[in-house]
Amino acid sequence: MGNNGSTRASRKPSERSSRKKPAGGGVSRRALLIGGGAVVAAGTVAVLVRDEVKRAWWRVPGVEKPRKAGELDYAGATWVAASEANWRRADRPDDFGIDRVIIHVTQGSFDSAVRVFQDPAHRAATHYIVGQDGRVVQMIRELDVAYQAGNRSFNERAVGIEHEGFVDRPKDLTKAMYESSARLTASICARHGIPIDREHIIGHVEVPGTDHTDPGPHWDWDRYLKLVRRAATAPPTPAPTASATASASASAKAE
């Protein structure tokens, strides 16, 4: 679970003494370099400002993208909102491209993870939590930045998934959890064009600067990637019709 010069070689004395100052008050090469550097620096600042303005366009009053409370990005999840102190409002992928999925382990129960993500003092959360029974809760929209990895750049570019359990207990990593999480990750990768490989689906431990070890040594990456690829190529499951739902309900009551 996450929280949130250059060197220049000097010239030899003989080289310095052999160079003449430009006649007629001309501009020296050094002055051109310094002046050009100032222009480049100014241009760089201008590009940074332009990019920041581009990323912040939706904050302008009357322009902000409309949102619906409790709206899901993944149909297989249920919505439980995280505290606004644990994430940052954004407009991904228009302001920050999404190119990673980060795998976490909660180091606790499903319910305790939900509680801490609702706690403004925690200052961290992920977009999703997957339980050992396969249930999925979404707590932050994918277009927003979750404080999940302890690295701002990775936070801005990633969707995070917590998994219920402890890193030193392999029994916590259940079949239902792997399969449910794989379907979720396949859905995220499809939405954002993320390749299904170990460069783009990573563990929290692999984020630069982190002091976390999850998902731990028992997380089976080969198994997980196979499940994600299988889920990505599986035909979509059709939504049940009203009559089918009623029939299933009647059958259950009869039993």
Side-chain angles (χ1 to χ4, degrees), residues 23-40:
V27 180
S28 69
R29 179 173 179 272
R30 178 175 175 79
L32 283 172
L33 288 173
I34 294 173
V39 171
V40 170

Side-chain angles (χ1 to χ4, degrees), residues 67-221:
R67 299 184 182 213
K68 297 178 182 178
E71 190 171 22
L72 294 167
D73 295 298
Y74 178 61
T78 57
W79 177 261
V80 179
S83 167
E84 292 186 3
N86 297 330
W87 55 274
R88 171 159 55 88
R89 199 173 181 91
D91 188 38
R92 304 190 308 172
D94 290 343
D95 50 2
F96 302 104
I98 298 174
D99 63 3
R100 294 287 189 282
V101 176
I102 300 179
I103 303 298
H104 305 256
V105 168
T106 61
Q107 289 298 95
S109 70
F110 186 95
D111 292 339
S112 67
V114 171
R115 284 196 301 272
V116 297
F117 290 174
Q118 292 177 313
D119 180 1
H122 187 61
R123 301 296 293 177
T126 57
H127 297 86
Y128 297 95
I129 305 173
V130 180
Q132 292 176 357
D133 57 2
R135 59 181 160 160
V136 179
V137 65
Q138 181 171 4
M139 303 194 71
I140 301 169
R141 290 291 307 277
E142 289 177 15
L143 73 168
D144 293 322
V145 175
Y147 301 152
Q148 58 165 315
N151 180 307
R152 177 169 179 168
S153 176
F154 276 71
N155 286 347
E156 289 172 342
R157 294 158 42 202
V159 174
I161 308 173
E162 285 281 2
H163 297 80
E164 178 186 13
F166 293 84
V167 297
D168 58 348
R169 294 199 323 209
K171 67 178 183 178
D172 289 352
L173 307 177
T174 66
K175 179 177 185 289
M177 174 187 287
Y178 270 118
E179 292 180 347
S180 178
S181 176
R183 290 191 294 270
L184 170 59
T185 293
S187 175
I188 293 167
C189 290
R191 274 193 294 284
H192 302 290
I194 302 172
I196 299 174
D197 57 35
R198 284 288 284 114
E199 181 181 350
H200 298 88
I201 302 173
I202 65 173
H204 190 178
V205 66
E206 297 170 272
V207 175
T210 187
D211 59 355
H212 288 246
T213 63
D214 54 314
H218 302 296
W219 184 266
D220 190 337
W221 282 108

